[in-house]
C-alpha cells in the first residue's frame, strides 16, 4: 500500500484517476494571493469532482472570514474555490478581494457594474448591496464547496 502522500495528486491528468486530491490553502498578503503548502485532502474521483462543478483543478481553500453569507456559510467554514471560474455568472458565490480584504459575496452583473451581495439579512452590515466597477475587485474564483465548522 502506497503512503497517502504518494496517492495525493495535484495535476489534472493524475486527478482523473486519483482517489485523493490535495487542495492548497489560500494565502492573502496585502491585496495579492497565492497558495501555501498546507493542504486539505479530499477523497474523490475526477468524475465526481467534475459532477460537483469543478471545471478546473486550480483549487484553493480558506476559512470564511465573515458572516456575510449566513446562514448558508458561517464564519470559519472551510470553502473550496475553483480559480478557473472567474467570469461572473450572476447569482453565484465568489471569493474576491475588495478593498484589500478577502470576501465571499454573491455577485450579479447589472448595467456594467458588479453588485456584491451578502445573504445575511439579520445583520445590518450585510443587508446592503454594493455596486462596484469590475476593476475595483479581483475575483479569485467561484465557491464550489463548503465544509461546516459548526457541525450538525
Amino acid at each position: 500500500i502506497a503512503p497517502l502522500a504518494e496517492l495525493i495528486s495535484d495535476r489534472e491528468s493524475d486527478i482523473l484517476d486519483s482517489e485523493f486530491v490535495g487542495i492548497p490553502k489560500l494565502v492573502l498578503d496585502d491585496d495579492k494571493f497565492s497558495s501555501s503548502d498546507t493542504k486539505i485532502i479530499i477523497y474523490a474521483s475526477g468524475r465526481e469532482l467534475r459532477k460537483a462543478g469543478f471545471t478546473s483543478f486550480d483549487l484553493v481553500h480558506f476559512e470564511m472570514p465573515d458572516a456575510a453569507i449566513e446562514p448558508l456559510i458561517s464564519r470559519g467554514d472551510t470553502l473550496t474555490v475553483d480559480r478557473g471560474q472567474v467570469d461572473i455568472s450572476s447569482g453565484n458565490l465568489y471569493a474576491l478581494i475588495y478593498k484589500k480584504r478577502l470576501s465571499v459575496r454573491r455577485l450579479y452583473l447589472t448595467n456594467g457594474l458588479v453588485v456584491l451581495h451578502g445573504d445575511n439579512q439579520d445583520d445590518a452590515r450585510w443587508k446592503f448591496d454594493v455596486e462596484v466597477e469590475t476593476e475595483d475587485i479581483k475575483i479569485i474564483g467561484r465557491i464550489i464547496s463548503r465544509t461546516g465548522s459548526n457541525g450538525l
Side-chain angles (χ1 to χ4, degrees):
I1 298 177
L4 180 60
E6 291 179 19
L7 297 173
I8 298 169
S9 178
D10 292 316
R11 296 185 317 274
E12 181 174 0
S13 60
D14 293 339
I15 288 175
L16 295 175
D17 297 320
S18 179
E19 293 184 4
F20 293 95
V21 179
I23 301 176
K25 185 171 185 171
L26 180 71
V27 177
L28 183 63
D29 182 18
D30 196 16
D31 62 346
K32 296 183 172 102
F33 61 91
S34 60
S35 53
S36 75
D37 292 335
T38 305
K39 296 183 180 185
I40 57 171
I41 308 302
I42 61 171
Y43 175 81
S45 70
R47 182 177 299 148
E48 290 169 333
L49 293 174
R50 288 196 189 283
K51 189 176 178 182
F54 291 66
T55 60
S56 78
F57 292 95
D58 189 4
L59 309 173
V60 292
H61 76 278
F62 66 95
E63 287 187 8
M64 178 66 177
D66 58 38
I69 308 298
E70 287 186 358
L72 178 65
I73 300 173
S74 298
R75 178 181 285 125
D77 284 357
T78 298
L79 306 176
T80 302
V81 178
D82 183 345
R83 293 194 299 189
Q85 295 187 50
V86 294
D87 294 330
I88 297 172
S89 175
S90 286
N92 284 321
L93 290 169
Y94 292 86
L96 58 111
I97 296 172
Y98 175 61
K99 294 186 176 180
K100 297 187 177 185
R101 294 186 63 193
L102 176 63
S103 301
V104 175
R105 298 294 184 271
R106 199 170 295 281
L107 300 183
Y108 296 92
L109 287 173
T110 58
N111 301 324
L113 296 173
V114 180
V115 176
L116 284 62
H117 175 77
D119 290 358
N120 188 342
Q121 295 300 301
D122 295 332
D123 187 327
R125 293 174 293 175
W126 315 116
K127 283 186 179 180
F128 302 101
D129 292 346
V130 176
E131 291 184 349
V132 299
E133 300 284 338
T134 54
E135 54 271 358
D136 292 337
I137 62 172
K138 170 67 176 164
I139 297 175
I140 299 168
R142 189 171 73 83
I143 306 296
I144 56 173
S145 73
R146 147 190 103 70
T147 303
S149 62
N150 295 327
L152 297 175

